[in-house]
Amino acid sequence: MSEDIIYSDATGLAERIRTKELSPVEVVEAHLDRIQAVDPRINAIVTLAGSAIAEAKRAEAAILAGDNVGPLHGVPFTVKDSIDTEGVLTQRGSPIFKGRIPNADATSVARMKQAGGILLAKTNLPEFSYWIESDNLLSGRSNNPWDVTRTPGGSSGGESAAIAAGMSPIGLGTDLAISVRGPAAQTGIVSLKATHGRVPMTGIYPRAPRRFWHVGPMARSIRDLALAFSQLAGPDGKDAFATSTGRLDAGIGRQPDRQLRVGWLVEPGFGPIDPEVAATVQAAADALEGLGLHVEPVRIPALEKDFALDVFNRLHVMEMKPEFAAVTAGHEDQMYKMSKTMLSLPDTSMTEFIAAEQAAERLRDGYAEYFENFDALVTPVLPLPAHPHGQDEFVINGQTVDATYLQGATVPLNITGLPGISMRFGTSRDGLPINVQIVGSWLAESTIFNVASLLESASPVRGLHPTL
């Protein structure tokens, strides 16, 4: 029964709790047992929420009393350690914040609780949520459940590893350029970076540059992402970017009323892509065509004119560097790799910054033009499967690139603010997950949930879990 619990999705657990097939206490205890059994090898969990069992008992009492309950009632969830949790350590992956206990929940955490979710634990991340590997001086390095010699990604790598390993059914991560979609791809789970502003960033660090940061759900099924999004989205009166509601159209997972038009793109525009990843993207496109959608290969000229990763680097360094300098001042002995790297980078000149802003606008226009003719876009998430720890240079399809290139296919959505889902559709020759990215137009989460749900129904890798 425990195996059945730990690899169930959150929606399924919630239904079984509502019908009294499972008790919230049983579900929370199963996940705590799983953490105790496997986390010493994975190091995804940095803090357990001490109130989880007590909250589970209250949730069970509500069910027995016949109370009206939320859609995630009694379901445990985990949270990346850059997201504030009231009364529970939130240390941001740095000794500078060791012992920090917030006095209020982030809006996203509060909304998960309002839906009935039970905070189970906080998960590991890079220092200040800033890198593609989850490693820091405070809580160490997280490992990939599929192969502990490889990374589960960053910056939401602890979260992705926890969900993939059955330590949590659903959780929250944050995304500046790659950080919920890349880790999901490296561990074979699903994640959503919604349209910018859909989910408030209140109570999350860092906020700079706010126009690129997102918070989003990570889980094991597309229906879980849709459920979480419906609870998370909407204004909170504190984050000025958060103005749109989270209303979703009905019919997710059903055949649409009209034939959806989907393009797929591997190259050019994202940098080099490994042939196994490229083949997985094409396989996903073929599967969607087989499900009755209109599918064709496409190109987006704006991605070829302005390489999004270069644009992002010229923009975000100018805005994040002062934040890093301020928070590390007087704590230089507690800095780790990426804060040192950030502070060593040359400043972006105002001329370069303005040019990059104009390039960003061209990218937004380019996607807008694409979505005049298509409903969704299928792309890679990462250019290659999960890589060994500490690797900072890669040979991808014959081209040598540095580690920042792992963000080539994800960062365009941070620049443009467009929504994207990361979901598994393949397996590498080494047995590692390969995900694809389903991209939508502005506020088109309903459409990409629909496309992703249809693709999930045809997935050759459903139900696969790492052996631990």
Side-chain angles (χ1 to χ4, degrees), residues 105 118 155 218 238 391:
D105 284 325
I118 296 172
S155 61
M218 306 175 75
K238 298 176 182 177
Q391 189 172 348

Side-chain angles (χ1 to χ4, degrees), residues 440-459:
S441 62
W442 192 259
L443 303 180
E445 281 82 3
S446 293
T447 298
I448 61 172
F449 279 136
N450 203 336
V451 172
S453 183
L454 291 169
L455 187 59
E456 184 181 53
S457 71
S459 173

Side-chain angles (χ1 to χ4, degrees), residues 51 81 95 130 134 139 142 181-182 197 209 230 277 280 292 316 335 337-339 353 380 401 421 434 456:
S51 62
D81 204 35
Y130 192 79
S134 295
S139 46
S142 294
R181 291 159 294 154
S230 71
V277 174
T280 300
H316 90 282
M335 293 166 59
K337 298 175 184 176
M338 287 316 299
S339 58
F353 187 82
V401 297
I421 289 172
I434 299 176
E456 184 181 53

Side-chain angles (χ1 to χ4, degrees), residues 297-375:
V298 298
R299 294 176 73 161
I300 298 179
L303 289 169
E304 301 173 38
K305 177 178 177 59
D306 296 293
F307 186 41
L309 181 60
D310 288 343
V311 175
F312 174 77
N313 286 337
R314 283 181 283 156
L315 291 175
H316 90 282
V317 169
M318 182 110 162
E319 299 182 55
M320 286 196 78
K321 191 173 177 180
E323 174 69 20
F324 276 48
V327 79
T328 58
H331 301 280
E332 286 77 9
D333 60 331
Q334 296 177 303
M335 293 166 59
Y336 197 41
K337 298 175 184 176
M338 287 316 299
S339 58
K340 293 178 181 178
T341 299
M342 171 62 77
L343 294 180
S344 72
L345 294 174
D347 292 336
T348 304
S349 71
M350 186 54 67
T351 299
E352 292 173 320
F353 187 82
I354 292 171
E357 284 283 17
Q358 292 171 338
E361 294 300 331
R362 289 193 293 270
L363 288 167
R364 294 184 186 103
D365 290 346
Y367 274 97
E369 182 178 358
Y370 169 81
F371 282 112
E372 278 290 295
N373 299 304
F374 292 91
D375 299 289

